[in-house]
Amino acid sequence: MDQLEAFLARAEEMLARLEPLLPPAVPATDWSAPAFRWRRLGASAWLEAIHQPHSVALDELIHIERQKQRLLRNTEQFLAGRPANNVLLTGARGTGKSSLIKALLGQYAAQGLRVIEVDKAQLPDLAQIVDAVAARPERFILFCDDLSFEEGEDSYKALKSALDGGLARRAANLLVYATSNRRHLMPEKASENREGWLKDGEIHPGETTEEKVSLSDRFGLWLSFYPFDQDAYLAAVAGWLAHFGLKHGKHSERAALQWSQLRGSRSGRVAYQFACDWAGRSSKERRAE
């Protein structure tokens, strides 16, 4: 009996030492959430629920009406069970690409739309994500923000398979919406346009270029976003100031233009950042009075 107790004590001690080395238990997915984030810790991966995702109202995103209409039409087709495309939103920074995707939740969450945020480093897990949601009744958008790949990265291959489905059929309840500042998602070199140019042993550099372009080609819908001119920028400033309950006049217009000159950019993001600063200062001045 003493030997048994000693054995059990040693076994318990051994398990206590091994427990920190074991992967954590995968939590059950809370499907009541409108958005999710794919998480990985060691060998364990799961969908982490986001119950209060960051979002903006669609009507607060101005001067991107054409892009907005095309994205809404594609998303409504998807929610209705009709054919729809994966979407690539590319172009100037700060022009509303990511905000437009986030705004879809406020518009369509009640109709069963869900968004899953996936980082570029997690793209090799896409097959697991597809399997996790394939049997669900909701409709999922896989959101890849600020997507681009550098030389030598091969995680884009997993994305290519997810977009086209590979040998397996593409999940009927999942689309990929990605944003990028690069139209073709990968760096391109002038030498790649020279089919006969031999570089680093590459006999057919044109085929390398085709490999790069083939990823963006798998997105059926391309939406391009362009830098704001001054009128569009000031209109965005007026809209965000109204969001904070403030009026836009000559004083704020002059300050907004100075703000954009200091930033070296005119965009919806810069307009929002100015409005935050202006609203914060205005609130302080009102309290001082």
Side-chain angles (χ1 to χ4, degrees):
M1 192 66 178
D2 291 340
Q3 291 181 345
L4 177 59
E5 291 179 353
F7 172 77
L8 293 175
R10 289 197 299 271
E12 185 175 353
E13 182 180 353
M14 181 64 70
L15 290 174
R17 292 179 179 179
L18 290 175
E19 188 173 2
L21 303 177
L22 297 175
V26 176
T29 302
D30 182 0
W31 295 109
S32 66
F36 304 88
R37 182 186 298 113
W38 183 251
R39 300 296 301 270
R40 171 167 287 283
L41 183 59
S44 300
W46 65 95
L47 285 171
E48 179 184 66
I50 304 175
H51 287 280
Q52 294 182 328
H54 173 253
S55 184
V56 298
L58 280 169
D59 57 7
E60 292 179 334
L61 301 174
I62 63 173
H63 286 279
I64 53 172
E65 292 305 319
R66 181 182 60 83
Q67 299 92 326
K68 186 189 302 184
Q69 290 174 6
R70 297 186 68 188
L71 187 67
L72 293 182
R73 181 179 63 193
N74 190 75
T75 304
E76 289 171 1
Q77 290 173 196
F78 177 53
L79 290 171
R82 301 195 302 270
N85 279 304
N86 299 299
V87 185
L88 178 61
L89 301 85
T90 65
R93 66 187 189 275
T95 49
K97 301 184 296 295
S98 302
S99 296
L100 186 52
I101 296 177
K102 295 174 183 177
L104 296 175
L105 270 178
Q107 186 78 6
Y108 299 114
Q111 300 179 34
L113 184 69
R114 302 292 182 265
V115 173
I116 302 174
E117 183 179 18
V118 178
D119 188 75
K120 180 179 70 172
Q122 300 166 334
L123 290 178
D125 293 340
L126 287 184
Q128 290 179 252
I129 300 174
V130 171
D131 289 342
V133 304
R136 296 293 308 176
E138 301 90 352
R139 297 271 164 168
F140 295 89
I141 288 175
L142 204 64
F143 175 35
C144 301
D145 194 23
D146 199 18
L147 186 64
S148 65
F149 301 92
E150 302 302 329
E151 291 289 346
E153 288 187 283
D154 60 0
S155 56
Y156 73 91
K157 295 179 180 179
L159 179 57
K160 288 173 66 174
S161 296
L163 292 170
D164 267 359
L167 186 60
R169 293 180 60 187
R170 195 177 77 180
N173 67 337
L174 184 142
L175 287 178
V176 177
Y177 284 11
T179 71
S180 179
N181 294 328
R182 291 175 176 168
R183 181 68 175 267
H184 290 135
L185 302 176
M186 296 184 182
E188 298 176 82
K189 301 176 182 178
S191 61
E192 292 174 349
N193 290 325
R194 306 173 190 173
E195 180 64 40
W197 184 270
L198 179 63
K199 183 175 178 63
D200 297 331
E202 180 68 51
I203 299 176
H204 299 290
E207 293 181 0
T208 302
T209 304
E210 286 295 316
E211 168 71 9
K212 292 182 175 182
V213 173
S214 68
L215 174 58
S216 57
D217 273 352
R218 280 171 162 78
F219 290 90
L221 180 59
W222 287 3
L223 300 178
S224 298
F225 292 71
Y226 304 98
F228 282 21
D229 59 20
Q230 181 169 300
D231 290 340
Y233 168 69
L234 290 176
V237 168
W240 284 118
L241 288 177
H243 171 80
F244 290 113
L246 299 173
K247 293 182 179 180
H248 183 44
K250 291 183 178 180
H251 188 31
S252 60
E253 178 178 307
R254 185 165 54 251
L257 291 175
Q258 292 174 347
W259 182 278
S260 68
Q261 290 169 357
L262 290 172
R263 294 297 303 270
S265 174
R266 289 191 299 249
S267 68
R269 178 183 296 154
V270 173
Y272 174 76
Q273 291 166 346
F274 166 77
C276 286
D277 179 77
W278 188 262
R281 286 187 288 152
S282 299
S283 177
K284 180 180 179 181
E285 291 170 0
R286 287 197 297 269
R287 287 198 301 269
E289 293 175 357

